[in-house]
Amino acid sequence: MKAYVITTMFGVFAFNENGKLIDKIYFEKNAEIAAKKLVESKKDLINEEKKIIETLKNSGFDVVFVNEKVGYPVDKSKEEELKAKIRQLLISEKRFSNPAELARYSAEVASNLAKTKLKEVKKDKIIAHIVQAIDEVEKIINTLVERIREIYALYFPEMEKKVKDHEKFIKMISSEPDRDKIKGFEKEAEETVGMEFSDYDLEIVKEFSTNIRNLMSFKKRLEKYLEDLMEETAPNLKEIAGIKLGAKLIKAAGGLEKLAKLPSSTIQLLGAEKALFRFLRGRGKPPKHGYIFVHPYIQSAPKRLRGKIARALASKIMVAARIDFFSKEYKADEIKKDLEKRIKEIYESDKKKKGR
Amino acid sequence: MKIKEIFPGVFRIGDDLFTKNLVPGEKVYGERLVKINGVEYRFWDPFRSKPASAIKKGLKTFPLEEDSNILYLGAATGTTISHFSDIAKNGVIYAVEISEVPYRKLMDLSKKRFNIVPILADARKEKEYSDFIFGKVNVVYCDISQPDEVEIFIRNCEKYLKDDGYGMVAVKSRSIDVVKDPMEIYREAEKKIKAVGYEHLETVKLDPFEKDHAIIVCKKTK
């Protein structure tokens, strides 16, 4: 005779072939514990299940599970029927006074189950935010530098014009804004057409530029942080695509897992959605590359080869992302060799064509 | 002001739709609250909630009742869910959402509205949340913007919907195929629903509230 065993958030229940309850063990009425038991029972036999199986076997039943269970026959056809019975039982045995209370308890168990999922450490989620943060900080720095340059040009236009590099400029005026004291610009200071600044004005200039300088060093720190994160979560992807590009792809796909499950053609066009849909609607040419456009292999290639190279690159990025997500071995060197070989082939076949 | 109950739990005051607030005094997403004769009503925004826009556009069958059990796929942050929980105040709403960020909001909502069961799962894998659904539901509502949305909806109906229950799908034609004509996509969705033997009741297009969307209502008949 068969006995059907079903594990629920309320406990483990066993029914005979006619749908009559033969055995049951309730879990403690605690949402946290119930959620844990549910998770465990998905992986392995839990104690309650073991106990029920033992008594069933002793009374000569063949155990069939209603929910998935490794090592036991599974028959799902009775699931709905038995669950309805359990629901009645819970109310009639006064485990729950009414259906509303039962729903309340299900909600708590579901929330607790989700909590374990939410609490999981997922570094790729941080990566997605950090790569955006870097872009944003950079944008802010540029805006502020433009502003301080305009201000400083009122006072010392000659120097502002000469020092083109933002970082150098900010470094100079944050350490010494007074034009008479800046080394190497004595002549310009003497002949300047700039207006006079008071000490108060200079103080603000100094404070302003110091803050920008801090932002600049913060950006570098974020970049280092991103590098470390990528090294930890996706070393192969980092090697093949580069730090920022790899991170952008993770962001665009919505996580490393999703990226690993994307086909290479999609990876090739991530970030070119606008152009892709324009093409699909019948207007415009199909895009050749999305975010991967910034990769040095594509940047250095002549325009006519970029499509081919983008395809080769995207396929290797796909391989790298999959290794990172699934096996976590380091194989970037081999992938890179393959990729370089393929790119060489592309160039060579192009040369032959041209020679003809 | 005149209050007219056009569907169970759905009220028309003037031109606007309202539901009776299950948790008086609490706003869910910044909506307007109106108190009439000591009863508090929540404004149901047709621009933010697709069933509301469907009702505004003349939906004839709205299957929710006071004690309906509902399976809601694609719950998001719970804007529509909150109105469903106003309407089906003695029922249970199983809210399935896959994404973690909106789920956190949904979880908070369920702490105030006791008839919501928030489930963090993929609607595509309907077996994974069977742990929480005891007994079949009266209504399946599906709003998930996936290319295979209709198939997912049908699988869920087959597993969880009562034999005489109702199904509602909000079809976003653009996430099924951007190139095709929306009408064609709605017709195809209807065909798929009819193919499994469900009775197609109506299709309501949602513009101007939502572009290229429609709600399809069907009934499971076995």
Side-chain angles (χ1 to χ4, degrees):
Chain A
M1 247 206 318
K2 277 183 193 167
Y4 294 91
V5 177
I6 178 166
T7 306
T8 69
M9 66 178 114
F10 308 105
V12 186
F13 301 83
F15 295 86
N16 68 12
E17 276 171 358
N18 305 323
K20 223 178 142 271
L21 184 78
I22 31 185
D23 201 358
K24 61 171 194 277
I25 299 176
Y26 284 122
F27 296 146
E28 198 182 318
K29 200 172 157 185
N30 175 318
E32 216 171 304
I33 292 173
K36 256 184 213 148
K37 296 263 183 201
L38 270 182
V39 174
E40 279 167 27
S41 88
K42 292 251 152 64
K43 289 180 205 141
D44 203 5
L45 281 179
I46 53 174
N47 289 336
E48 286 83 351
E49 287 167 343
K50 278 183 200 155
K51 257 187 221 161
I52 285 213
I53 290 170
E54 211 188 303
T55 38
L56 287 175
K57 277 190 176 155
N58 285 342
S59 17
F61 284 105
D62 293 325
V63 174
V64 177
F65 264 90
V66 178
N67 30 356
E68 268 340 304
K69 188 61 79 180
V70 183
Y72 283 89
V74 173
D75 179 1
K76 287 189 172 175
S77 60
K78 295 211 171 196
E79 186 184 347
E80 298 306 323
E81 180 197 331
L82 298 183
K83 268 159 76 183
K85 280 197 172 130
I86 291 167
R87 188 187 158 103
Q88 279 170 7
L89 186 80
L90 291 167
I91 306 262
S92 67
E93 286 204 345
K94 299 265 183 291
R95 294 282 296 184
F96 293 93
S97 55
N98 54 45
E101 199 197 317
L102 203 147
R104 193 72 238 115
Y105 185 69
S106 317
E108 274 170 36
V109 177
S111 301
N112 266 300
L113 208 61
K115 230 188 235 169
T116 48
K117 267 194 225 170
L118 292 171
K119 277 194 160 173
E120 244 171 64
V121 177
K122 278 158 285 190
K123 292 276 181 191
D124 52 345
K125 300 231 153 163
I126 307 179
I127 289 176
H129 284 295
I130 293 298
V131 69
Q132 267 181 301
I134 290 172
D135 281 350
E136 280 153 5
V137 171
E138 192 175 331
K139 215 169 148 189
I140 294 166
I141 290 172
N142 282 331
T143 321
L144 293 180
V145 169
E146 287 303 316
R147 183 61 53 215
I148 189 89
R149 271 181 179 273
E150 293 282 332
I151 296 171
Y152 201 70
L154 297 173
Y155 169 67
F156 197 6
E158 292 80 4
M159 178 254 184
E160 192 269 334
K161 217 171 175 182
K162 238 180 187 170
V163 185
K164 287 271 189 290
D165 184 52
H166 283 346
E167 230 178 307
K168 199 175 158 201
F169 176 77
I170 294 294
K171 217 171 166 183
M172 282 169 80
I173 64 168
S174 64
S175 56
E176 185 50 73
D178 189 340
R179 64 187 168 204
D180 297 327
K181 289 179 190 156
I182 299 178
K183 275 183 198 132
F185 286 90
E186 290 83 3
K187 197 166 164 265
E188 284 89 344
E190 229 168 83
E191 293 166 1
T192 185
V193 293
M195 61 161 92
E196 286 299 319
F197 265 23
S198 71
D199 285 350
Y200 190 16
D201 299 330
L202 288 175
E203 219 174 273
I204 293 297
V205 167
K206 190 168 180 172
E207 209 177 315
F208 198 160
S209 50
T210 312
N211 275 316
I212 297 174
R213 210 172 149 180
N214 287 341
L215 266 182
M216 283 170 162
S217 64
F218 177 57
K219 193 193 136 203
K220 278 190 193 126
R221 186 144 165 68
L222 278 182
E223 276 164 348
K224 178 75 182 56
Y225 176 50
L226 185 68
E227 190 183 339
D228 293 344
L229 281 175
M230 286 294 284
E231 185 64 54
E232 189 188 336
T233 30
N236 291 297
L237 182 63
K238 179 189 153 215
E239 213 41 52
I240 302 299
I243 302 162
K244 241 180 141 180
L245 175 56
K248 265 193 184 156
L249 291 172
I250 289 178
K251 188 206 97 195
L256 183 61
E257 179 176 357
K258 282 190 182 156
L259 182 65
K261 288 177 180 171
L262 286 182
S264 92
S265 55
T266 308
I267 293 175
Q268 187 187 342
L269 295 184
L270 277 178
E273 283 81 3
K274 202 175 155 194
L276 174 67
F277 286 121
R278 186 173 56 216
F279 163 64
L280 287 178
R281 283 209 170 88
R283 293 184 287 272
K285 282 186 284 182
K288 293 189 283 288
H289 27 53
Y291 289 129
I292 62 168
F293 181 66
V294 299
H295 196 282
Y297 286 152
I298 295 179
Q299 286 285 307
S300 62
K303 227 175 172 182
R304 63 178 184 286
L305 295 184
R306 281 183 183 166
K308 273 186 183 155
I309 293 175
R311 218 176 323 133
L313 176 63
S315 72
K316 291 305 173 201
I317 288 177
M318 174 196 79
V319 172
R322 289 184 184 178
I323 294 175
D324 280 332
F325 181 71
F326 293 107
S327 72
K328 297 186 168 60
E329 282 167 64
Y330 185 77
K331 284 200 172 156
D333 297 335
E334 290 163 51
I335 303 170
K336 207 162 194 176
K337 230 196 235 157
D338 275 1
L339 178 59
E340 267 157 13
K341 207 177 119 204
R342 171 78 189 115
I343 287 174
K344 221 170 156 190
E345 274 172 30
I346 293 172
Y347 275 105
E348 266 162 21
S349 77
D350 182 57
K351 238 187 240 163
K352 265 186 212 158
K353 248 191 222 162
K354 270 177 115 185
R356 246 191 284 151
Chain B
M1 217 187 282
K2 236 173 107 182
I3 304 175
K4 202 180 156 212
E5 188 166 2
I6 47 175
F7 291 113
V10 184
F11 300 87
R12 174 173 280 151
I13 306 174
D15 264 347
D16 293 338
L17 295 175
F18 287 84
T19 57
K20 241 182 229 176
N21 197 352
L22 187 70
V23 192
E26 291 264 2
K27 287 182 185 180
V28 175
Y29 54 99
E31 70 281 17
R32 199 165 80 223
L33 300 178
V34 180
K35 212 165 192 171
I36 298 169
N37 300 336
V39 184
E40 193 172 272
Y41 296 90
R42 285 170 60 231
F43 175 54
W44 197 2
D45 191 346
F47 283 99
R48 300 189 58 173
S49 178
K50 280 164 211 149
S53 36
I55 293 174
K56 282 281 251 186
K57 290 274 294 185
L59 185 84
K60 288 188 203 78
T61 23
F62 187 66
L64 266 61
E65 278 165 37
E66 207 179 274
D67 53 359
S68 293
N69 292 336
I70 302 155
L71 174 61
Y72 191 122
L73 308 169
T77 54
T79 308
T80 304
I81 292 263
S82 71
H83 290 285
F84 277 17
S85 95
D86 281 348
I87 297 165
K89 58 181 181 200
N90 297 329
V92 184
I93 299 148
Y94 302 100
V96 179
E97 171 58 43
I98 184 173
S99 179
E100 293 176 3
V101 178
Y103 179 84
R104 286 201 293 258
K105 273 194 180 171
L106 194 63
M107 213 159 95
D108 291 341
L109 191 69
S110 79
K111 282 177 187 138
K112 284 176 194 151
R113 292 170 171 268
F114 293 147
N115 52 0
I116 298 172
V117 178
I119 300 168
L120 183 63
D122 188 348
R124 199 169 266 134
K125 297 168 187 156
E126 71 277 0
K127 286 176 193 111
E128 279 184 6
Y129 43 88
S130 67
D131 282 336
F132 302 105
I133 303 174
F134 275 72
K136 295 203 165 185
V137 299
N138 308 84
V139 180
V140 173
Y141 178 86
C142 175
D143 179 5
I144 46 176
S145 312
Q146 290 294 320
D148 52 346
E149 174 175 15
V150 180
E151 286 82 356
I152 295 170
F153 166 73
I154 290 170
R155 283 210 306 275
N156 275 283
C157 287
E158 288 290 296
K159 187 161 169 58
Y160 293 114
L161 189 59
K162 266 188 191 155
D163 280 347
D164 55 349
Y166 290 86
M168 287 173 98
V169 225
V171 179
K172 179 179 176 186
S173 78
R174 281 188 193 170
S175 57
I176 293 178
D177 194 328
V178 266
V179 183
K180 265 192 203 154
D181 177 37
M183 275 316 285
E184 210 176 301
I185 288 169
Y186 305 150
R187 290 291 100 84
E188 269 170 31
E190 287 165 15
K191 243 187 238 163
K192 279 179 198 160
I193 289 168
K194 281 180 201 158
V196 281
Y198 296 178
E199 186 188 344
H200 169 248
L201 297 174
E202 58 182 318
T203 300
V204 181
K205 283 193 277 177
L206 301 186
D207 18 22
F209 302 110
E210 298 270 1
K211 230 176 165 186
D212 293 344
H213 281 68
I215 280 193
I216 299 176
V217 187
C218 62
K219 191 177 182 193
K220 191 174 181 180
T221 41
K222 276 279 150 74

